Amino acid sequence: MARPRPDRADGIQPPVRSAGAARHSDDPAVGPARHLGAPRRLPAWLKIGTAVVSVLLVGVLAFGAYWVIRLQGNISKASLSAGSSKTEGAVNDSNDRMQILILGSDTRDGKNAQYGTADDSTGYGHSDVMMLMDISADNKRVNVVSFPRDLLVDIPKCTDQKTKTVYPAQKNVMINAAMSEAGIGCAVDTVNKITGLEIDHFMMADFNAVKELSNAVGGVDVCISDPVYDPDSKLRLPKGTSKVQGEQALAFVRTRHAFGDGGDLGRVQAQQSFLSSLTRKIKADGTLTNPSRMLGIADAITKNLTIDDGLASIPTLLTVGNRLKDIDVGKVAFVAVPTVPAAADPNRLQLAEPGASQLFAAMRKNVDLTDPTATPGGSADPSASPAPAPAETAPAYDKTLQPVAVANGSGVPARTQEILQSLTAGGFTQLAQLAAKPVATTGVYYGAGFADVAADVAALLGIPASQVLPAAGVTGVQVYLGSDLVGGTATGDAQVALPPDIVNQTAGDTVCQQANPELITR
């Protein structure tokens, strides 16, 4: 016969509560819940698994935090501008068209002291490399446009954003000196002035960045037509393909005499070939999708990198890098700004017209330089029906006899040739250029009897009818360009003409550099 439990309720008095149950309620009348009882122990394997997962999670978080702090601490920052005003809003780093000015500094400070004294790079230093990287909004193509260091340009008035020192505008100055006084922002302002674009970001690396990056990827393949030795840069390479890294990689991109005729254009082509090969290697090795390799490259780059405030965060840099990982190497176009020997100094270069203006107009219109017939932002849709051509009415005058003058007050000298080219293509051949003061608003002015001609000129250039005005003292038609047309499209939706050889190579091309005959060794 089973013995009754001494604490069992008799139906009249409330049951006696255990100490464990008392902890669950302040009401003494509430008895223990039926499910309460001795706690069940977790299996040992579950305890161990939970501990391991916890340790791994903490380790991953600590590892990620370490690298973010380390990489962020590597970065140096500088202002994007040297005083110029920006008319465009900030870009979305993930899906807007983005333009980044890439600079290679010749500074001899710190780890770069072995390449010369501080006197060899005055002020903020000079830019041995200047390339404008233009990433399309759809992340399907990249244009990389090189500006030779010996190119003579007009540098605008610039203000050092650290010291607030104002430096006056300069004429016919080598473009590599644009940042030497007022800083990197002055180089950005100078390229904006030349091209009519508004650059979104910049990245500037020093000598050491090339060495460490080439080491991080295990070397970069380069090709040369003949064995060469340059005593200045110490570049020594045999004929054919070689793998360069460290000091030899730096010598390859720095040499001024080893390629072509020993001038700056041979150097630009060698730098483009180096970057093409580097792009192919990174893509082939799967580096952009390999976190371990990416961290090594990011560490090598950020230790030697100066960037603008808008780009100066690790998440932003990773976002930009992620945009490049799936681009077809055949859609990474390397271009050199068209140049000719300068009239003021045959040892220097000046922009070649109309090629330079055509290139800058194409860039403002977001043209795919590898396929100028494609629609901006991506490839042309072959299934799309062409828009019907507007009906044209023949003008009641002979275009070839109408006097049209162009006065460029936009602040962008290259716009003059672009406008003249557009007018010529539109049938106007009696053209002239006038001196102009800077103005904000573009206008088309006409004399008595030329209202219809002025209207046709404005329509050709995409200038609103409200800006076509009669003016006493004007003979014929005068197009006065203002800064409002700098980033605009002068010829509406008309296709931009481009020199047929504007693209030097794509990242998919393997190009051997022609050795300078004077430095070939046997």
Side-chain angles (χ1 to χ4, degrees), residues 399 404-406 416-429 431-432 456-458 460-461 479 491:
K399 288 185 177 182
V404 181
V406 176
T416 301
Q417 289 298 323
E418 179 188 337
I419 296 299
L420 290 173
Q421 178 190 349
S422 298
L423 290 169
T424 301
F428 295 96
T429 59
L431 305 177
D456 289 340
V457 167
L460 176 67
L461 300 178
V479 181
T491 54

Side-chain angles (χ1 to χ4, degrees), residues 96-457:
D96 278 347
R97 183 188 180 194
M98 179 182 289
Q99 290 149 350
I100 304 174
L101 187 64
I102 300 173
L103 302 161
S105 170
D106 71 348
T107 180
R108 268 74 173 183
D109 294 336
K111 292 176 289 187
N112 302 296
Q114 61 180 299
Y115 304 108
T117 66
D119 293 336
D120 295 326
S121 57
T122 58
Y124 288 96
H126 293 71
S127 51
D128 269 1
V129 177
M130 182 179 283
M131 297 180 175
L132 181 56
M133 180 169 69
D134 188 358
I135 307 172
S136 67
D138 58 9
N139 299 332
K140 291 184 178 179
R141 56 182 172 82
V142 176
N143 296 325
V144 182
V145 181
S146 294
F147 295 83
R149 69 190 299 276
D150 291 339
L151 177 64
L152 297 180
V153 298
D154 293 342
I155 297 176
K157 181 177 74 172
C158 291
T159 302
D160 186 329
Q161 298 302 295
K162 290 183 179 179
T163 67
K164 301 306 177 183
T165 303
V166 178
Y167 296 91
Q170 304 176 68
K171 297 185 73 66
N172 278 345
V173 180
M174 283 174 56
I175 196 170
N176 75 325
M179 72 179 203
S180 62
E181 293 181 332
I184 305 169
C186 193
V188 173
D189 290 350
T190 299
V191 175
N192 284 342
K193 177 180 176 65
I194 295 170
T195 63
L197 298 167
E198 287 193 7
I199 293 170
D200 303 302
H201 298 296
F202 72 76
M203 296 180 177
M204 186 182 76
D206 59 19
F207 293 145
N208 208 55
V210 177
K211 296 194 301 183
E212 294 199 15
L213 177 59
S214 61
N215 285 331
V217 301
V220 177
D221 290 335
V222 297
C223 181
I224 190 168
S225 63
D226 298 276
V228 69
Y229 174 65
D230 176 13
D232 290 339
S233 67
K234 310 303 181 188
L235 177 69
R236 186 186 296 275
L237 288 176
K239 177 181 179 179
T241 301
S242 302
K243 189 181 296 294
V244 296
Q245 62 187 94
E247 290 289 349
Q248 280 294 285
L250 177 60
F252 186 87
V253 299
R254 283 192 67 213
T255 179
R256 298 197 63 190
H257 310 295
F259 308 122
D261 61 359
D264 205 29
L265 296 181
R267 181 189 197 186
V268 165
Q269 291 178 348
Q271 290 169 349
Q272 292 179 340
S273 288
F274 180 89
L275 289 178
S276 293
S277 181
L278 176 63
T279 301
R280 292 194 300 274
K281 182 175 181 65
I282 289 176
K283 294 274 288 184
D285 289 351
T287 300
L288 293 174
T289 56
N290 185 314
S292 176
R293 290 180 181 173
M294 277 295 293
L295 286 174
I297 291 176
D299 193 35
I301 293 176
T302 54
K303 285 189 295 187
N304 307 281
L305 191 68
T306 300
I307 54 184
D308 64 279
D309 294 327
L311 200 58
S313 75
I314 298 306
T316 302
L317 289 173
L318 291 176
T319 297
V320 175
N322 190 58
R323 295 183 64 168
L324 303 175
K325 65 183 176 68
D326 295 324
I327 292 179
D328 180 356
V329 292
K331 284 296 182 181
V332 180
F334 288 91
V335 176
V337 172
T339 58
V340 292
D345 182 351
N347 294 317
R348 300 291 181 253
L349 300 169
Q350 68 183 39
L351 294 175
E353 297 296 357
S357 292
Q358 292 171 342
L359 171 62
F360 300 148
M363 293 174 67
R364 287 192 295 271
K365 292 190 69 171
N366 195 20
V367 169
D368 179 354
L369 299 182
T370 65
D371 182 9
T373 62
T375 55
S379 300
D381 183 0
S383 63
S385 300
E392 294 187 3
T393 302
Y397 58 83
D398 185 348
K399 288 185 177 182
T400 63
L401 301 178
Q402 311 309 311
V404 181
V406 176
N408 189 353
S410 69
V412 181
R415 292 294 265 171
T416 301
Q417 289 298 323
E418 179 188 337
I419 296 299
L420 290 173
Q421 178 190 349
S422 298
L423 290 169
T424 301
F428 295 96
T429 59
Q430 296 296 319
L431 305 177
Q433 299 181 47
L434 300 176
K437 294 181 179 180
V439 295
T441 305
T442 297
V444 177
Y445 304 98
Y446 61 90
F450 286 90
D452 53 348
V453 180
D456 289 340
V457 167

